[in-house]
Amino acid sequence: MEKNNITTGPIWKGMLSYFWALLLGAFFQQFYNTIDAVIVGRAVGSDGLGAVGGSAAMIVNLFVGFFMGLSSGATVVISQFYGADRKEEVQKAVHTSIALALAGGLLFSIVGFILSPVLIHAMGTPMEQSEAAIIYLKIFFLGMIPNMVYNMGSGILRAVGDSRRPLIVLIISSFANIFLDVLFVIVMGLGDMGVVQGVAGVAIATVLCQALSAGIIIWMLMRSTGSYKLSLKSIRFHADMLKRIVSIGLPAGFQSTMYTLSNVLIQAAINSFGNDAASAWAAYGKIDVLFWMTMNSLGTVNTTFVGQNFGAGKYDRVRNSARQSFAIAAAITIPLSIVLYFYGEFLLRIFVKDGENVIRIGVDMIKFLAPFYVTYIGVEIFSGALRGMGDALIPMLITMSGICVLRVAWILIAFPMNRTLEMVETSYPITWITTSLLFLVYYFIYTKKKKIR
C-alpha cells in the first residue's frame, strides 16, 4: 500500500500540517485577486476596483464555484479509493476527472463569454463600472479551460494528501501574476488609458497565469509515481466513475451555485446604494477573504481526512477528524475576527486611496459582520465531513434552504421595509446561524444512522 499519513498517526497534527500548506496555498491564490485589486484600485481608481471586485467577481464565483462543487465529487471519490488502496479505481477517477475539467471548461467558456453583458446589466452594476466589468469577464472566460484543469488537477493531488505541490504551483503563478499586472497596467500604461483598458490588462494577466498553472499541474501529475499518475492518452470518461463523481459533485455544484446566486442578489442590493457602497463592498470582500480562505482550507482538510478514513473503514478517525477540525476552526476564527474588527480600516486603505466615504462604509461593514464569523463554522465543517462520507444531496438541500432561500427571502421581503446597508448585511448572520444549526442536527442523525458516532 502507498504511504498514507492521513489514515495513521495523530489526527490534529496531520490536520494542522495539511491545513497550513492549504492555507498558504489559498493565500497565494487570493494573492492573484489581491494584487489585481491593489493595482486596479490605486492605478485605475475605485470604479476599476468595483468592476473587478464587485459584480464581475460574483459572476466568476457563480461559474467557478459550480465547477469546484462538481469537482469536489472527484476529490471525495479519489480520496475514498486512495484510502482503501484501490489503485485501478483511483486511475479511472483521475482520468475521468481531467476529462470532466476539459469538457466543463469549454462549455463555461462559451456560455460565460456570451452571457457576460446580460449578467452584468441584470445585476444593476453602476454605469461607470459596467463596461469594464464586461470586458474583464469576457477575457476571464476565454481562460476557463486552463482554470478548470488547474483546479481539478490540484484537487486530485490534495485528495491523496499532497498539499505541497499545489502550493508550489500557486507560488510560481502568483509571482508571475504580479509581474504581468505591473507590466500591462503600469509599464505599458494601460491603467492610464482608462478604466476599461486597465481592467483588461489585469484580466489578461490572470488568464495567462491560469494557463501557466494548468501546464505545471498536468506536468506534475504525469511525473507522479503513485496510483494517481496521469497519462494524456488515457484521458476519457469512464461511465461508472463519472456517475459516481457526478452523484456527489452535482449536488455540491448546485449548492455552490445557489449560494453564489444569493450573493449576487446581495450584490445587486448593495449596488442600489451607489458607487461608494459598491466599491466599499468590493474592498471589504478583499479583507473578508481572509476568513473564507481559512474556512475553505479547513473544509478541504476535513473532507480529505474524513474521506480517506471512511474509505479505509476507520470510523473512529472519521468522527475525530470532524471534531478536531471544528476545534481548529474555532481557535483560528475567534482571534481573526478580533483582528479584523479593530484593524479593518488599516486593511481597507491598502485597496482604496481616493474615497474617505468608501473607507467609512467599508469599516462599518467589517465591524458589523466580523463578530458573527464564528457562527459559520458549523456550515463548513459539518458539510465537509458529510461530503467526505459521500453524502452530498442533503447538505445541498440544507444549504439551499438555510442560506439561499432564507437570504433571498430576507432581501425580497425584509430589506424593502428598511432599505439600509445594515439590513442587507443582516442577511449573513441570520443565515449562518440557521444553517449551522441545521447541519449540526443532520450530522448527528447521519452518523448515528451509519453507526459512526
Side-chain angles (χ1 to χ4, degrees):
M1 182 173 179
E2 297 171 27
K3 183 179 179 181
N4 190 348
N5 294 325
I6 290 179
T7 56
T8 59
I11 293 174
W12 69 270
K13 287 185 178 180
M15 278 191 159
L16 282 177
S17 176
Y18 192 53
F19 164 70
W20 289 119
L22 282 181
L23 183 62
L24 188 56
F27 168 79
F28 278 102
Q29 190 164 24
Q30 290 302 325
F31 208 37
Y32 276 132
N33 297 329
T34 300
I35 292 299
D36 289 350
V38 170
I39 291 178
V40 172
R42 302 189 71 86
V44 181
S46 59
D47 282 336
L49 176 60
V52 173
S55 299
M58 290 290 104
I59 294 169
V60 166
N61 290 339
L62 181 65
F63 282 81
V64 175
F66 174 80
F67 184 82
M68 291 299 291
L70 185 62
S71 67
S72 71
T75 301
V76 170
V77 169
I78 293 170
S79 65
Q80 288 182 352
F81 284 137
Y82 190 79
D85 198 30
R86 295 170 63 177
K87 297 180 180 179
E88 184 178 349
E89 283 84 356
V90 171
Q91 272 282 298
K92 288 182 179 180
V94 165
H95 290 90
T96 298
S97 299
I98 297 298
L100 184 60
L102 292 169
L106 177 61
L107 177 62
F108 284 2
S109 291
I110 297 171
V111 174
F113 187 88
I114 294 173
L115 293 182
S116 291
V118 177
L119 295 172
I120 288 294
H121 291 310
M123 290 179 64
T125 306
M127 185 181 303
E128 296 85 352
Q129 301 174 6
S130 61
E131 184 180 358
I134 292 169
I135 291 297
Y136 180 87
L137 281 180
K138 285 189 172 183
I139 295 172
F140 184 89
F141 279 119
L142 290 176
M144 283 300 284
I145 291 179
N147 187 317
M148 300 296 97
V149 169
Y150 161 72
N151 281 303
M152 183 66 82
S154 60
I156 291 170
L157 291 175
R158 291 174 182 134
V160 300
D162 184 355
S163 57
R164 181 181 63 87
R165 286 189 289 177
L167 173 59
I168 292 172
V169 177
L170 282 171
I171 292 174
I172 293 172
S173 59
S174 293
F175 282 106
N177 192 69
I178 295 172
F179 171 78
L180 292 174
D181 275 342
V182 173
L183 176 64
F184 293 147
V185 179
I186 298 176
V187 176
M188 295 177 63
L190 292 179
D192 294 330
M193 296 179 186
V195 175
V196 173
Q197 292 84 347
V199 167
V202 168
I204 292 169
T206 300
V207 168
L208 290 175
C209 288
Q210 291 286 2
L212 175 64
S213 301
I216 297 175
I217 210 78
I218 289 295
W219 178 79
M220 286 180 170
L221 287 171
M222 292 174 64
R223 298 275 295 180
S224 298
T225 57
S227 58
Y228 53 94
K229 178 181 176 67
L230 177 68
S231 172
L232 294 181
K233 65 180 180 181
S234 299
I235 296 175
R236 67 181 182 88
F237 289 114
H238 294 270
D240 58 332
M241 200 58 66
L242 180 63
K243 181 179 179 180
R244 191 175 187 126
I245 290 172
V246 170
S247 67
I248 298 174
L250 194 59
F254 281 126
Q255 173 180 320
S256 176
T257 299
M258 294 303 296
Y259 198 109
T260 306
L261 281 174
S262 67
N263 286 337
V264 168
L265 188 61
I266 297 290
Q267 182 68 54
I270 295 291
N271 289 344
S272 70
F273 289 96
N275 286 5
D276 285 351
S279 296
W281 188 249
Y284 163 69
K286 299 303 178 184
I287 298 170
D288 182 55
V289 78
L290 292 172
F291 170 70
W292 294 111
M293 69 183 188
T294 300
M295 287 297 100
N296 289 338
S297 296
L298 282 169
T300 300
V301 170
N302 195 33
T303 298
T304 301
F305 271 70
V306 169
Q308 286 203 26
N309 284 291
F310 186 81
K314 299 184 177 182
Y315 297 142
D316 59 326
R317 293 181 65 87
V318 168
R319 64 174 181 269
N320 283 329
S321 294
R323 290 172 181 172
Q324 293 181 35
S325 62
F326 189 95
I328 293 170
I332 294 173
T333 298
I334 293 172
L336 177 61
S337 299
I338 294 172
V339 170
L340 292 180
Y341 186 91
F342 288 105
Y343 296 97
E345 181 175 350
F346 169 77
L347 296 173
L348 281 171
R349 291 190 183 278
I350 297 175
F351 303 101
V352 180
K353 72 168 185 176
D354 58 354
E356 286 302 315
N357 194 44
V358 173
I359 295 291
R360 180 188 62 78
I361 295 172
V363 169
D364 289 342
M365 290 174 174
I366 293 173
K367 288 185 178 295
F368 186 90
L369 291 171
F372 291 103
Y373 284 162
V374 70
T375 66
Y376 179 78
I377 292 175
V379 177
E380 193 69 44
I381 298 303
F382 292 127
S383 64
L386 290 163
R387 282 195 303 271
M389 290 182 280
D391 185 7
L393 180 60
I394 301 301
M396 177 196 73
L397 295 176
I398 291 175
T399 302
M400 286 180 62
S401 57
I403 287 185
C404 305
V405 174
L406 181 56
R407 190 169 293 173
V408 169
W410 183 269
I411 295 299
L412 295 180
I413 299 173
F415 172 59
M417 294 188 291
N418 183 18
R419 299 186 65 85
T420 64
L421 281 171
E422 289 76 14
M423 200 65 172
V424 177
E425 295 160 10
T426 301
S427 65
Y428 283 91
I430 284 179
T431 54
W432 292 343
I433 294 169
T434 301
T435 311
S436 283
L437 290 174
L438 289 173
F439 267 119
L440 176 64
V441 172
Y442 179 67
Y443 173 80
F444 281 112
I445 292 174
Y446 184 86
T447 51
K448 183 178 181 180
K449 180 180 179 181
K450 296 290 184 179
K451 303 187 187 316
I452 296 174
R453 293 183 63 189

